[in-house]
Amino acid sequence: MINIVLFGPPGSGKGTQAQHLIEKFNLKQISTGDLFRYNMKNNTELGKLAKSYIDKGELVPDKVTIDMLIDELRKPTETNGFIFDGFPRTANQTEALETIVKDELGAEISICLSLVVEDEVLVQRLLKRGETSGRTDDSNEDIIRNRIKEYYTKTAEVAELYKKQGKYVEVNGIGEISEISEKLFAEVEKIK
Ligand code: UDP
Ligand code: MG
């Protein structure tokens, strides 16, 4: 299996690049953010709970997110592997993911691909996305800045854990979308 953690701050292009990676390598994407938005749209209990954090630009608590991820991974699918998009977001989630991937799939995380984009570019991209996405967390600069702050205080340390395992690769996330995809593909080819 190829199991990819697609990593980077909000607005770094994870969702876009995940689409290209799943097509290229026949993978299944699991985006915890998309799962939360699906639940919010359908007004489930999980959705209501998640909304109370997401609307402030905060992270949803680990337990809630991890349980949702386990449910998703248990759904039967035919795939060469998974792309985890926007997860893990804390050190605790990183450790949990290692166990879950081992227990549920008998596999490991192969690589952590990290998209690097500077903060001011992120803010501009997210404000632009907010014009059409309908996402409340993209609509306001203060919420966007809080998401970036959460990234530095809670999520950036995820990179350190994958660095220690020798699985961490950075790719410049600014440039043509197709060029960035090619760079990501090349990194996956190296470990195939
Ligand atoms: N979120 C979270 N845990 C996750 C994924 C998402 O808490 O594992 C919440 C968090 O509030 C985040 C929001 O959902 O700001 C949107 O996340 P998503 O990954 O969809 O957006 P992105 O950061 O990629 O723009
Ligand atoms: Mg996303």
Side-chain angles (χ1 to χ4, degrees):
M1 284 190 114
I2 312 172
N3 293 308
I4 300 172
V5 167
L6 196 52
F7 184 78
S12 55
K14 299 183 295 290
T16 305
Q17 294 300 339
Q19 275 314 310
H20 295 187
L21 285 159
I22 59 175
E23 282 165 31
K24 173 83 179 175
F25 297 107
N26 240 307
L27 305 172
K28 185 175 182 238
Q29 174 192 18
I30 297 188
S31 162
T32 41
D34 287 349
L35 291 169
F36 286 136
R37 279 185 288 280
Y38 177 83
N39 277 280
M40 291 194 288
K41 205 174 114 206
N42 291 291
N43 215 16
T44 66
E45 286 307 312
L46 174 65
K48 283 183 229 169
L49 178 67
K51 189 172 165 48
S52 66
Y53 295 92
I54 291 174
D55 280 356
K56 289 185 273 184
E58 293 172 6
L59 292 185
V60 180
D62 284 348
K63 168 125 181 43
V64 178
T65 311
I66 290 166
D67 286 350
M68 178 179 75
L69 181 88
I70 294 173
D71 282 349
E72 192 62 24
L73 264 186
R74 285 188 178 159
K75 291 182 185 163
T77 56
E78 279 291 316
T79 180
N80 290 338
F82 291 86
I83 296 188
F84 299 94
D85 161 5
F87 183 96
R89 265 174 147 95
T90 62
N92 182 39
Q93 289 182 5
T94 309
E95 281 157 30
L97 182 63
E98 192 166 327
T99 309
I100 295 163
V101 167
K102 188 158 166 261
D103 291 353
E104 302 297 326
L105 307 171
E108 284 185 8
I109 296 299
S110 320
I111 192 168
C112 172
L113 294 170
S114 173
L115 293 166
V116 180
V117 177
E118 66 206 64
D119 293 356
E120 291 316 307
V121 176
L122 299 172
V123 174
Q124 293 316 314
R125 282 186 185 178
L126 292 169
L127 282 170
K128 182 113 187 66
R129 183 169 81 184
E131 291 170 11
T132 52
S133 69
R135 278 177 58 168
T136 46
D137 61 342
D138 284 346
S139 65
N140 168 305
E141 186 164 337
D142 290 339
I143 300 172
I144 289 172
R145 292 207 181 265
N146 199 43
R147 287 161 64 194
I148 295 173
K149 185 167 147 266
E150 287 276 86
Y151 172 79
Y152 285 111
T153 53
K154 297 179 183 161
T155 307
E157 63 186 8
V158 170
E160 300 309 316
L161 296 174
Y162 287 116
K163 264 182 216 166
K164 270 190 209 149
Q165 298 181 18
K167 291 178 177 172
Y168 181 78
V169 181
E170 282 187 348
V171 167
N172 181 357
I174 299 183
E176 287 287 328
I177 289 173
S178 60
E179 279 170 20
I180 298 166
S181 300
E182 289 302 329
K183 286 187 215 156
L184 295 171
F185 294 169
E187 294 300 336
V188 177
E189 292 291 353
K190 281 188 207 165
I191 55 138
K192 258 180 83 183

